[in-house]
Amino acid sequence: GQNAASIYSNIWLSEWSNDEPINGTQDTALRDLRLGVYGALGVAQGVCVVVAAFCAALGGIRSSLFLHNRTLLNVLHSTMQFFDTTPLGRIINRFSQDVDCVDTVIPMIIRMWLSCIFWVLSTLFVISFSTPLFLAVIVPLSVLYYFVQRFYVATSRQLKRIESISRSPIYSHFG
């Protein structure tokens, strides 16, 4: 919604700048129409930003509450053998690091990811619309990007796992 309004407002400004003056002046009725539509597109863009922020905040609160309640329920229903074999630091780590990640990191990453995806798609649309030959170049680049991304995700996942394991002794020392 926000990117569509932004792109269309740029198109609208382009059309507005191409209006020919009549007898050296602008038609006031056409100018008022153009200004009104441009203002409405700005308001629509603002409304989309507010709705997106509200939905992200609500989703973050709900997911954090869900994760915390499920983790607490699982820990409370654990056997004594679980507490004998699992260091206290690892249990505290699940509550502190995972809930903090859901509260702060994941919403920011989702917001940045969605923003990036929509900007890339809108840029690809505008370039493809103005230069159709661009479509022949973007397909091989997309395949290359896919393979690079697969390698990065696997490596990143292993690094997160190693970080999580290395933090548990620190938490158990203070527990």
Side-chain angles (χ1 to χ4, degrees), residues 15-168:
E15 291 295 321
W16 189 358
S17 67
N18 291 334
D19 284 349
E20 292 293 326
I22 301 170
N23 294 332
T25 61
Q26 291 288 332
D27 181 15
T28 56
L30 182 60
R31 181 200 63 203
D32 292 344
L33 172 73
R34 297 266 192 208
L35 191 59
V37 169
Y38 185 69
L41 288 170
V43 169
Q45 191 172 0
V47 167
C48 288
V49 167
V50 169
V51 168
F54 179 76
C55 289
L58 184 63
I61 290 169
R62 290 181 66 191
S63 62
S64 179
L65 185 64
F66 178 78
L67 176 70
H68 182 269
N69 288 343
R70 293 288 297 192
T71 306
L72 181 63
L73 186 67
N74 287 337
V75 167
L76 291 176
H77 285 114
S78 297
T79 62
M80 287 305 290
Q81 181 183 8
F82 170 76
F83 291 105
D84 289 341
T85 59
T86 306
L88 183 61
R90 191 171 295 161
I91 297 170
I92 293 172
N93 187 23
R94 289 288 70 97
F95 281 100
S96 63
Q97 186 178 2
D98 290 355
V99 172
D100 178 58
C101 184
V102 169
D103 285 345
T104 57
V105 177
I106 291 176
M108 181 182 62
I109 289 173
I110 289 173
R111 192 176 310 116
M112 289 186 329
W113 181 78
L114 285 173
S115 176
C116 183
I117 288 293
F118 286 129
W119 279 113
V120 166
L121 290 176
S122 62
T123 302
L124 289 175
F125 174 76
V126 169
I127 293 172
S128 299
F129 185 75
S130 62
T131 312
L133 185 60
F134 176 73
L135 291 172
V137 174
I138 197 64
V139 172
L141 285 176
S142 298
V143 170
L144 176 68
Y145 178 77
Y146 172 76
F147 286 112
V148 168
Q149 188 66 19
R150 279 187 45 191
F151 174 74
Y152 170 77
V153 168
T155 306
S156 176
R157 185 179 302 125
Q158 289 297 325
L159 286 173
K160 287 289 185 184
R161 184 184 62 79
I162 292 170
E163 177 193 17
S164 177
I165 289 171
S166 68
R167 280 191 183 196
S168 291

